[in-house]
Amino acid sequence: MNKNLKIKKLDLYISKNFIKAFLLSIIAFINIFILSQLFKIFRYVADGRMSSSDGFIYVLNMIPDILLNVTPLAVLLGSLMMINKMASNLEIISLKTSGISFRRIIMFPVIISFFISIIVFYINGNIYPASEKRIKELKGNTISKVLPKEKRNGFLRDIEKNNIYMMGYINVEKSIADNIEFIKLNKDFTEIEEVIIAKKGKYNKETNRWELEDVVINDIKNKTTKKQTSYSSEEFDKAPENFVTLSIDPRLLTTKELKKEIKDLRITGGDIRSEMVELGNRYSFPFASFVISFLGLSLGSRYVRGNSAMSIVLCMFLGYGYYILQASFESLGKNSLMNPFVSGWLPNIIFLAIGIYFVHKAEY
């Protein structure tokens, strides 16, 4: 019972020191980022683009974005500061000598880091999008949906004329399309009457109809097929704009709204790469704080005189290394070279493996 009480006091002592070091680190980072933006805000106020109260609101709305970016570094630095202080006071050696493993010593800081990640996850999915919208409004930028210039696998169902349009590729800006297939159905939409296939086509805005080239017309009803060099019919008059869906910057959407946007884009065959990458990051990046805590706790576990500065440099190097790796994998996801969720979680998996390795080394 007495031993359990001592362990509880030890956990409380370590947890308090970790939270204190983390809060000091995150406050320092927030102040640095805000100070770097203050001159820009002062200029907005001086130019009359913002009132003083708007400037204050602008600063408040900057905080969610800053928190998302600096929390992993704050956890890393806070972990290092807390464990390095314990090591320099020979507390780590004393605890190990008394039979307490290093994994047990760092258990509560790791648990706290996980809860910090949960908080960041909530901020990222719900508070950050709203703050970004507010910042854009204060800067005078209008938030509107934009029409994509091009699209692959375009699909449209014309209920009025019982037609189905399918495009392998469509360029809205140039009003052209490739690998076109028009399907004419009966009034009940139960039987196909005619299928028109063309290698390419262009939408004529004056006549409001598609002009196709290298056409094959399959009359399913009469079981005949004929080829034509060109084809145009008032039956097929849907403009290219109908094949694309208005989209908004995915960073301005809450996680719930982002999922709905992806669902809507999938229905219309829209490009969902940037939305999927953003959703993947929403689920992976917040947990960087948890993953990276292993590094700070393990690297500062051994007290070597004069080695504190080197540990801090190494920790910051690894911390920024995470951001570089995360950005690299994100670009692979955006270019469809890797699954967006895989590209989001790979940096976490890699750094978790490195962190666990260092924790194992810290046991001895």
Side-chain angles (χ1 to χ4, degrees):
M1 183 69 180
N2 192 32
K3 186 179 179 180
N4 290 336
L5 184 61
K6 286 181 180 179
I7 290 292
K8 286 180 180 178
K9 284 183 177 180
L10 175 65
D11 289 335
L12 183 62
Y13 169 75
I14 293 172
S15 299
K16 283 172 67 177
N17 283 319
F18 172 72
I19 292 169
K20 182 181 177 182
F22 165 71
L23 290 175
L24 285 172
S25 300
I26 202 161
I27 289 168
F29 280 124
I30 289 172
N31 285 334
I32 290 167
F33 275 84
I34 288 176
L35 285 171
S36 68
Q37 295 292 316
L38 275 181
F39 291 106
K40 184 169 73 174
I41 296 166
F42 288 150
R43 189 169 66 249
Y44 286 156
V45 174
D47 293 344
R49 293 170 64 183
M50 282 185 193
S51 64
S52 298
S53 59
D54 284 343
F56 178 71
I57 295 169
Y58 186 95
V59 171
L60 289 179
N61 281 282
M62 284 171 54
I63 293 174
D65 183 33
I66 296 170
L67 280 172
L68 293 178
N69 289 303
V70 305
T71 300
L73 284 177
V75 168
L76 182 65
L77 189 58
S79 302
L80 181 67
M81 289 167 58
M82 182 274 294
I83 208 75
N84 193 64
K85 183 180 177 182
M86 289 183 67
S88 63
N89 293 333
L90 304 180
E91 292 172 325
I92 299 295
I93 293 174
S94 299
L95 289 169
K96 285 183 178 181
T97 305
S98 65
I100 301 173
S101 68
F102 183 70
R103 286 191 292 271
R104 181 62 184 82
I105 294 169
I106 66 170
M107 185 177 74
F108 270 77
V110 169
I111 291 170
I112 292 167
S113 298
F114 180 77
F115 281 105
I116 289 170
S117 294
I118 296 295
I119 293 168
V120 173
F121 177 80
Y122 178 79
I123 293 171
N124 196 18
N126 298 278
I127 299 173
Y128 167 72
S131 67
E132 280 296 292
K133 285 180 185 177
R134 188 66 179 127
I135 284 173
K136 284 185 177 292
E137 289 168 358
L138 290 169
K139 288 169 73 174
N141 298 333
T142 56
I143 300 168
S144 59
K145 288 196 169 187
V146 294
L147 198 68
K149 293 181 180 179
E150 59 182 7
K151 179 183 178 181
R152 298 194 179 278
N153 301 318
F155 176 85
L156 180 68
R157 179 179 174 180
D158 183 358
I159 299 174
E160 294 177 0
K161 294 184 177 180
N162 302 330
N163 296 328
I164 291 176
Y165 298 71
M166 290 189 288
M167 312 282 194
Y169 168 81
I170 185 166
N171 189 305
V172 179
E173 199 173 39
K174 297 179 181 179
S175 298
I176 59 173
D178 295 334
N179 299 321
I180 301 165
E181 189 170 340
F182 293 159
I183 301 173
K184 178 69 179 176
L185 290 97
N186 61 4
K187 291 182 180 180
D188 299 325
F189 249 91
T190 56
E191 293 181 6
I192 297 173
E193 293 184 349
E194 194 174 54
V195 178
I196 300 161
I197 301 170
K199 288 185 177 179
K200 58 183 179 178
K202 183 177 178 65
Y203 185 78
N204 190 322
K205 293 182 180 179
E206 292 180 1
T207 60
N208 294 326
R209 62 178 67 177
W210 281 93
E211 296 175 350
L212 309 181
E213 297 179 22
D214 297 324
V215 185
V216 176
I217 302 171
N218 298 293
D219 190 337
I220 307 299
K221 194 175 182 180
N222 297 313
K223 298 180 180 180
T224 60
T225 300
K226 62 179 178 178
K227 294 182 179 180
Q228 293 181 197
T229 54
S230 62
Y231 176 86
S232 182
S233 171
E234 60 182 14
E235 278 283 329
F236 304 103
D237 58 356
K238 292 298 180 183
E241 289 80 8
N242 293 292
F243 291 83
V244 291
T245 305
L246 291 169
S247 62
I248 192 170
D249 187 344
R251 293 174 301 173
L252 304 179
L253 300 172
T254 64
T255 301
K256 186 178 180 180
E257 292 169 341
L258 184 58
K259 287 178 179 178
K260 185 180 183 301
E261 180 80 357
I262 291 170
K263 184 179 178 181
D264 292 342
L265 286 170
R266 272 181 172 155
I267 290 170
T268 57
D271 186 356
I272 59 172
R273 282 178 297 179
S274 59
E275 285 78 9
M276 287 298 293
V277 169
E278 177 64 24
L279 185 63
N281 287 339
R282 292 274 177 96
Y283 282 100
S284 60
F285 185 73
F287 293 94
S289 301
F290 167 72
V291 168
I292 218 160
S293 66
F294 289 92
L295 287 172
L297 292 166
S298 56
L299 288 173
S301 62
R302 292 185 180 182
Y303 174 61
V304 179
R305 193 177 297 277
N307 199 42
S308 298
M310 183 58 71
S311 294
I312 291 173
V313 171
L314 179 59
C315 240
M316 298 308 289
F317 174 78
L318 287 168
Y320 282 108
Y322 175 88
Y323 288 96
I324 293 168
L325 193 65
Q326 191 265 341
S328 300
F329 279 113
E330 183 179 330
S331 65
L332 291 175
K334 284 183 177 177
N335 292 318
S336 299
L337 298 173
M338 188 177 287
N339 181 284
F341 281 85
V342 173
S343 66
W345 277 102
L346 263 180
N348 286 352
I349 294 168
I350 292 168
F351 271 77
L352 182 61
I354 295 170
I356 290 171
Y357 169 77
F358 279 117
V359 168
H360 177 72
K361 294 286 285 184
E363 289 285 1
Y364 306 101

